[in-house]
Amino acid sequence: MERRIAIIGAGIGGLLACKYSVEKCFHPVVFEADDRIGGVWNHTLQSTKLQSEKEDYRFLDFDWPASVQDKYPSHTDVLDYVESYAQHFNLYPYIKFHSRVNSIDYVGESFEEMQTWELWGGMGTAFGSKGKWHITVLDTQTSATEVHQAEFVILCIGQFSGLPNIPELPPNHCSKVFDGKVMHSMEYSDMEKYTAAEVIRGKRITVVGSQKSAMDIAVECAEANGDKYPCVMIQRNPHWSLLSDGFLISNLGYLYSNRFAELLLHKPGENILFWLLATVLSPLRWGISKFSEIYLQWKLPLKKFGLVPRHSFLEDMSSCQINMLPDKFYDKVEEGSILIKRSESFRFCKEGLMVGEEDKPIPSDLVMLATGYKGDQKLKNIFRSSVFQKYFVSSPTSSIPFYRQVIHPRIPQLAVIGYTEGIANLPTFEMGCRWLVHLLDGNIKLPSIGAMEKDAALWEIHMKRYGGRNLLRSCIGTTNIWYNDQLCKDMKCNPRRKKGFLAEWFQPYGPTDYAGLADRKR
C-alpha cells in the first residue's frame, strides 16, 4: 500500500512533522498558504518577543546560533532560527507554497463501517484502513484548485491564527453603531511596521483584552501617542504576568518544571501511590502558588491599579495563560499613557465603548479587539464531513478528546500537531511529532478506541481540575514530564533522562534532556 503523507501548514509543527517523516523515509508534501515558512511568527506584532527563554524554546537537535544573545529573542530572530532549521534539514523541497487547503475529505470507508471498529482505523495502526484523504488545495496565485490524495494527513494549522474570536453583541450595541474603526489584533499584526505605526498614530485607541497581545498593543499605542491620547485597556479577567528579569522567572523551572513539582499534582492515569503523594503534598502545592502571587504583588503595582487576578497563579500555569510582561508596561500605566478599566462586559456606542454599568462612554477613534481566536472552529471547518465536524465541536464543559494529544480516536489516518500547549510550545510539538512518526512507522500499536477515549477523558478531568475556567485550552504545562513519560514508554525509550537521583527529581526538565531520545532505550 502506498503511504502518501500530506502535512497542512509550514509553521513550526509542520516543519517538525516533515523533518521526522523524512527521517523515517516517507516523502511528505507540505501545503502552505503563505509564501514563506514560520506560521504564526509571520503574523505577529513588531514588538513581540519569545515568551520563554530561548534554551527552553529550541529544536532538540538544532541549537540557537551564537549570534542570538538575547535571552528572549525577537520574532525576527525566531523566524531566522526556524528558516535555518528548514535549510539545515533540507525541508524546502517538500513544501508547496501559495497552497491553501480549503477542505479535506475521507473516502473509501463508510461511516457505518467505521462505527463498528474497535481499533483505530480498524487495525490500530496508522495505515490500517483502505480509506484515503482527498485534499482540496487552492493555488493563491492562479486561483486554480486541485484535489490531492494521501493515505495520512497531519494538520498543523495552528489555533492562534486565521479565525478571530469576535465577541457577539446585540444589534443595538454592536460595532455597526460605532462611528470609528474596529479591528481585531490579527489584522493589526499582519500589517507592515510602517503601516501599523500610521494606523495608531494620533488616535484615541481602546484595546479589549487582557492577554499578551492586548498588552503589547497597548504599549505600542502608548509609545506612539503618550498621555496626549492615552490607550484605554478593558480587561475582564487579568492574568498573572512574569517579569523578564525577576526571581520568579529565573526559578520557575525549579518550582513547576521538575519531577518533584509534578508529584504535587494529581495526574491522568496515576497509580494509588502518586495519588496519595499528591493529596498529602497539596498544602505545599498551594504554598508555592501563593508564594508566586505574593512575590508578583510585591514587585508589581497590581493592587494599585486593580489588576490582581481573581484566580491562582497555579491556574494560569495549568492553563498556559502565564505571559511575559512587556517592557515598561507599568511605566506607561504610571505616566498615564495606558489607562486600565476592569469590566465584565462592554458595548459599542456612537462615540466609542461603554463598560459595565457606566453611562459615560470611552471616546475612541479605533477599537482593537485582542480577544483571541476560535481554534476549535478553525479545526472543524477544514473537514468536509459533517460527522467529523461534530467530533471537533467542544461544549462548554468539554474539550476535543485527543489521544496522546495527537490523534482523535474516531478519525482514522489523521493527526493534529499544535493544539496542545506547554510552557514552551516548540518542545511539546516536537515530542508529539516524534511519537507520531513511530506510529507511522508501525512501531506503536494503539489500544482500543474505547481505551483511547478513556485516556483522553482522564486528561480532560486533569485539565479541569487545575485549569479551572480555562478548561478548553488544552495545556499540559504543569504535567509536561508526565506526558513525555507516556510518549517515551510508547516509543520504548527510557523516560528518565537525567543522571543521578537528585538531578532526576529536582532539576528542571528541558528540550535538551530529550535529545538523542532513541539512543537511550529502556
Coordinates of all heavy atoms in Angstrom, one line a residue, residues 76-121:
T76 N 11.7 38.3 14.8 CA 12.5 38.2 13.6 C 13.7 37.2 13.8 O 14.0 36.4 12.9 CB 13.1 39.5 13.2 OG1 13.8 40.1 14.3 CG2 12.0 40.4 12.7
D77 N 14.2 37.2 15.1 CA 15.2 36.2 15.4 C 14.7 34.8 15.4 O 15.3 33.8 14.9 CB 15.8 36.5 16.8 CG 16.8 37.7 16.8 OD1 17.3 37.9 15.7 OD2 16.9 38.3 17.9
V78 N 13.4 34.6 15.9 CA 12.8 33.3 15.9 C 12.6 32.8 14.4 O 12.8 31.7 14.1 CB 11.4 33.4 16.6 CG1 10.7 32.0 16.5 CG2 11.6 33.7 18.1
L79 N 12.1 33.7 13.6 CA 11.9 33.4 12.2 C 13.2 33.0 11.5 O 13.2 32.0 10.7 CB 11.3 34.6 11.4 CG 9.7 34.6 11.4 CD1 9.3 35.9 10.7 CD2 9.1 33.4 10.7
D80 N 14.2 33.7 11.8 CA 15.5 33.3 11.2 C 16.0 32.0 11.7 O 16.5 31.2 10.9 CB 16.6 34.4 11.6 CG 16.4 35.7 10.9 OD1 15.6 35.7 9.9 OD2 16.9 36.7 11.4
Y81 N 15.8 31.7 12.9 CA 16.1 30.4 13.5 C 15.3 29.3 12.9 O 15.9 28.2 12.5 CB 15.9 30.4 15.0 CG 16.1 29.2 15.8 CD1 17.2 28.4 15.7 CD2 15.0 28.7 16.6 CE1 17.4 27.3 16.4 CE2 15.2 27.5 17.4 CZ 16.4 26.8 17.2 OH 16.6 25.6 18.0
V82 N 14.0 29.5 12.7 CA 13.2 28.5 12.1 C 13.6 28.2 10.6 O 13.6 27.1 10.1 CB 11.7 28.9 12.2 CG1 10.8 28.0 11.4 CG2 11.2 28.9 13.6
E83 N 13.9 29.3 9.9 CA 14.3 29.2 8.5 C 15.7 28.4 8.4 O 15.9 27.6 7.5 CB 14.4 30.5 7.8 CG 13.0 31.1 7.6 CD 13.1 32.6 7.1 OE1 14.2 33.2 7.2 OE2 12.0 33.1 6.8
S84 N 16.5 28.7 9.3 CA 17.8 28.0 9.4 C 17.6 26.5 9.6 O 18.3 25.7 9.0 CB 18.7 28.6 10.4 OG 19.1 29.9 10.2
Y85 N 16.7 26.2 10.4 CA 16.3 24.8 10.7 C 15.9 24.1 9.4 O 16.3 23.0 9.1 CB 15.3 24.7 11.8 CG 14.8 23.3 12.1 CD1 15.4 22.5 13.0 CD2 13.6 22.9 11.6 CE1 14.9 21.3 13.4 CE2 13.1 21.6 11.9 CZ 13.8 20.8 12.8 OH 13.3 19.6 13.1
A86 N 15.0 24.7 8.7 CA 14.4 24.2 7.5 C 15.5 24.0 6.4 O 15.5 23.0 5.7 CB 13.3 25.0 6.9
Q87 N 16.4 24.9 6.4 CA 17.6 24.8 5.4 C 18.5 23.7 5.8 O 19.0 22.9 5.0 CB 18.3 26.2 5.3 CG 17.5 27.3 4.7 CD 18.1 28.6 4.8 OE1 19.1 28.8 5.5 NE2 17.5 29.6 4.2
H88 N 18.8 23.6 7.1 CA 19.8 22.7 7.6 C 19.3 21.2 7.3 O 20.1 20.4 6.9 CB 20.0 22.8 9.1 CG 20.9 21.9 9.7 ND1 22.3 22.0 9.6 CD2 20.7 20.7 10.5 CE1 22.9 21.0 10.3 NE2 21.9 20.2 10.8
F89 N 18.0 21.0 7.5 CA 17.5 19.6 7.2 C 16.8 19.5 5.9 O 16.2 18.5 5.6 CB 16.5 19.3 8.3 CG 17.1 19.1 9.7 CD1 17.0 20.1 10.7 CD2 17.8 17.9 10.0 CE1 17.6 19.9 11.9 CE2 18.4 17.8 11.2 CZ 18.3 18.7 12.2
N90 N 17.1 20.5 5.0 CA 16.7 20.4 3.6 C 15.2 20.1 3.5 O 14.7 19.2 2.7 CB 17.5 19.3 2.8 CG 17.4 19.4 1.3 OD1 17.2 20.5 0.8 ND2 17.4 18.3 0.6
L91 N 14.4 20.9 4.1 CA 12.9 20.7 4.1 C 12.2 21.4 3.0 O 11.1 21.1 2.7 CB 12.3 21.1 5.5 CG 12.9 20.4 6.7 CD1 12.2 20.9 8.0 CD2 12.8 18.9 6.6
Y92 N 12.8 22.4 2.4 CA 12.1 23.3 1.4 C 11.6 22.5 0.2 O 10.6 22.8 -0.3 CB 13.0 24.4 1.0 CG 13.0 25.6 2.0 CD1 14.0 25.8 2.9 CD2 12.0 26.5 1.9 CE1 14.0 26.8 3.8 CE2 11.9 27.6 2.8 CZ 13.0 27.7 3.7 OH 13.0 28.8 4.6
P93 N 12.4 21.5 -0.3 CA 11.8 20.7 -1.4 C 10.5 20.0 -1.2 O 9.8 19.7 -2.2 CB 13.0 19.7 -1.7 CG 14.2 20.3 -1.1 CD 13.7 21.0 0.1
Y94 N 10.1 19.8 0.1 CA 8.9 19.2 0.4 C 7.7 20.1 0.5 O 6.5 19.7 0.7 CB 9.0 18.3 1.6 CG 10.1 17.3 1.6 CD1 11.4 17.6 2.0 CD2 9.8 16.0 1.0 CE1 12.4 16.6 2.0 CE2 10.9 15.1 1.0 CZ 12.1 15.4 1.4 OH 13.1 14.4 1.4
I95 N 7.9 21.4 0.4 CA 6.9 22.4 0.7 C 6.4 23.0 -0.5 O 7.1 23.5 -1.4 CB 7.5 23.5 1.6 CG1 8.1 23.0 2.9 CG2 6.4 24.6 2.0 CD1 8.8 24.0 3.8
K96 N 5.0 23.1 -0.7 CA 4.3 23.7 -1.8 C 3.7 25.0 -1.2 O 2.8 25.0 -0.5 CB 3.2 22.8 -2.3 CG 3.8 21.6 -3.0 CD 2.6 20.7 -3.5 CE 1.8 21.3 -4.6 NZ 2.6 21.3 -5.9
F97 N 4.4 26.1 -1.6 CA 3.9 27.4 -1.1 C 2.7 27.9 -1.9 O 2.4 27.3 -3.0 CB 5.0 28.5 -1.2 CG 6.1 28.2 -0.2 CD1 7.4 27.7 -0.6 CD2 6.0 28.5 1.2 CE1 8.4 27.5 0.3 CE2 7.0 28.3 2.1 CZ 8.2 27.8 1.7
H98 N 2.0 29.0 -1.4 CA 0.8 29.5 -2.1 C -0.2 28.4 -2.3 O -1.0 28.5 -3.2 CB 1.2 30.1 -3.4 CG 2.3 31.2 -3.4 ND1 2.0 32.4 -2.8 CD2 3.6 31.2 -3.7 CE1 3.2 33.1 -2.9 NE2 4.1 32.4 -3.4
S99 N -0.3 27.5 -1.4 CA -1.2 26.3 -1.5 C -2.1 26.3 -0.2 O -1.7 25.8 0.8 CB -0.4 25.0 -1.6 OG 0.4 25.1 -2.8
R100 N -3.3 26.9 -0.4 CA -4.2 26.9 0.8 C -5.2 25.7 0.7 O -5.9 25.5 -0.3 CB -5.1 28.2 0.7 CG -6.1 28.3 1.8 CD -6.9 29.5 1.8 NE -6.1 30.6 2.3 CZ -5.7 31.7 1.6 NH1 -6.1 31.7 0.3 NH2 -5.0 32.6 2.1
V101 N -5.2 24.9 1.7 CA -6.1 23.8 1.8 C -7.5 24.3 2.2 O -7.6 24.8 3.4 CB -5.5 22.7 2.8 CG1 -6.6 21.6 3.0 CG2 -4.2 22.2 2.3
N102 N -8.4 24.1 1.4 CA -9.8 24.5 1.7 C -10.6 23.5 2.4 O -11.4 23.9 3.2 CB -10.5 24.9 0.4 CG -10.1 26.2 -0.2 OD1 -9.5 27.1 0.5 ND2 -10.2 26.4 -1.5
S103 N -10.3 22.2 2.1 CA -11.1 21.2 2.8 C -10.3 19.8 2.7 O -9.5 19.7 1.8 CB -12.5 21.1 2.3 OG -12.5 20.6 0.9
I104 N -10.7 18.9 3.6 CA -10.2 17.5 3.4 C -11.4 16.6 3.6 O -12.3 16.9 4.4 CB -9.1 17.2 4.5 CG1 -9.6 17.4 5.9 CG2 -7.8 18.1 4.2 CD1 -8.6 16.9 7.0
D105 N -11.4 15.5 2.9 CA -12.5 14.6 2.9 C -12.0 13.1 2.9 O -11.1 12.8 2.1 CB -13.4 14.8 1.7 CG -14.7 14.1 1.8 OD1 -15.2 13.9 2.9 OD2 -15.3 13.8 0.7
Y106 N -12.5 12.3 3.8 CA -12.0 10.9 3.9 C -13.0 10.1 3.1 O -14.2 10.1 3.3 CB -12.1 10.5 5.4 CG -11.5 9.1 5.7 CD1 -10.1 8.9 5.6 CD2 -12.3 8.1 6.0 CE1 -9.6 7.6 5.8 CE2 -11.8 6.8 6.3 CZ -10.5 6.6 6.2 OH -10.0 5.4 6.4
V107 N -12.4 9.3 2.2 CA -13.2 8.5 1.3 C -12.7 7.0 1.3 O -11.6 6.8 1.7 CB -13.2 9.0 -0.1 CG1 -13.8 10.4 -0.2 CG2 -11.8 9.0 -0.7
G108 N -13.6 6.1 1.0 CA -13.2 4.7 0.9 C -13.7 3.8 2.0 O -13.7 2.6 1.9
E109 N -14.2 4.4 3.1 CA -14.8 3.7 4.2 C -16.1 4.4 4.6 O -16.2 5.6 4.7 CB -13.9 3.7 5.4 CG -12.6 3.0 5.2 CD -12.6 1.5 5.4 OE1 -13.7 1.0 5.4 OE2 -11.5 0.9 5.4
S110 N -17.2 3.6 4.8 CA -18.5 4.2 5.2 C -18.4 4.5 6.7 O -17.7 3.9 7.4 CB -19.6 3.3 4.8 OG -19.6 2.2 5.7
F111 N -19.2 5.5 7.1 CA -19.3 5.8 8.5 C -19.9 4.7 9.3 O -19.6 4.5 10.4 CB -20.1 7.2 8.7 CG -19.3 8.4 8.2 CD1 -19.8 9.1 7.1 CD2 -18.2 8.8 8.8 CE1 -19.1 10.2 6.6 CE2 -17.5 9.9 8.3 CZ -18.0 10.6 7.2
E112 N -20.8 4.0 8.6 CA -21.5 2.8 9.3 C -20.4 1.8 9.6 O -20.4 1.2 10.7 CB -22.5 2.2 8.4 CG -23.8 3.1 8.2 CD -23.6 4.2 7.3 OE1 -22.5 4.2 6.5 OE2 -24.4 5.2 7.3
E113 N -19.5 1.6 8.7 CA -18.4 0.6 8.9 C -17.5 1.1 10.0 O -17.0 0.3 10.9 CB -17.7 0.3 7.6 CG -16.6 -0.8 7.8 CD -15.9 -1.1 6.5 OE1 -16.4 -0.6 5.4 OE2 -15.0 -1.9 6.5
M114 N -17.1 2.4 10.0 CA -16.2 2.9 11.0 C -16.7 2.8 12.4 O -16.0 2.7 13.3 CB -15.8 4.4 10.6 CG -14.9 4.5 9.4 SD -14.3 6.2 9.2 CE -15.6 6.9 8.3
Q115 N -18.0 2.9 12.5 CA -18.7 2.9 13.8 C -18.5 1.5 14.4 O -18.7 1.3 15.7 CB -20.1 3.3 13.7 CG -20.3 4.8 13.5 CD -21.7 5.2 13.3 OE1 -22.6 4.4 13.2 NE2 -22.0 6.5 13.3
T116 N -18.3 0.5 13.6 CA -18.1 -0.9 14.1 C -16.7 -1.2 14.6 O -16.5 -2.3 15.2 CB -18.6 -1.9 13.1 OG1 -17.6 -1.9 12.0 CG2 -20.0 -1.6 12.6
W117 N -15.8 -0.3 14.3 CA -14.4 -0.6 14.6 C -14.1 -0.6 16.1 O -14.6 0.3 16.8 CB -13.5 0.5 13.9 CG -13.3 0.4 12.4 CD1 -13.7 -0.7 11.7 CD2 -12.8 1.4 11.6 NE1 -13.5 -0.4 10.3 CE2 -12.9 0.8 10.2 CE3 -12.3 2.6 11.7 CZ2 -12.5 1.6 9.1 CZ3 -11.9 3.4 10.6 CH2 -12.0 2.8 9.3
E118 N -13.4 -1.5 16.6 CA -12.9 -1.5 17.9 C -11.5 -0.8 18.0 O -11.1 -0.3 19.1 CB -12.8 -2.9 18.5 CG -14.2 -3.5 18.7 CD -14.1 -4.9 19.3 OE1 -13.0 -5.3 19.8 OE2 -15.1 -5.6 19.5
L119 N -10.8 -0.9 16.9 CA -9.4 -0.3 16.9 C -9.4 0.9 15.9 O -10.2 0.9 15.0 CB -8.4 -1.3 16.4 CG -8.2 -2.5 17.4 CD1 -7.3 -3.6 16.7 CD2 -7.7 -2.1 18.7
W120 N -8.5 1.8 16.1 CA -8.3 3.0 15.3 C -8.0 2.6 13.9 O -7.1 1.8 13.6 CB -7.2 3.8 15.8 CG -7.1 5.2 15.3 CD1 -8.1 6.2 15.4 CD2 -6.0 5.8 14.6 NE1 -7.6 7.4 14.7 CE2 -6.4 7.1 14.3 CE3 -4.8 5.3 14.2 CZ2 -5.5 8.0 13.6 CZ3 -3.9 6.2 13.5 CH2 -4.3 7.5 13.2
G121 N -8.8 3.0 12.9 CA -8.6 2.6 11.5 C -8.9 1.2 11.2 O -8.6 0.6 10.2

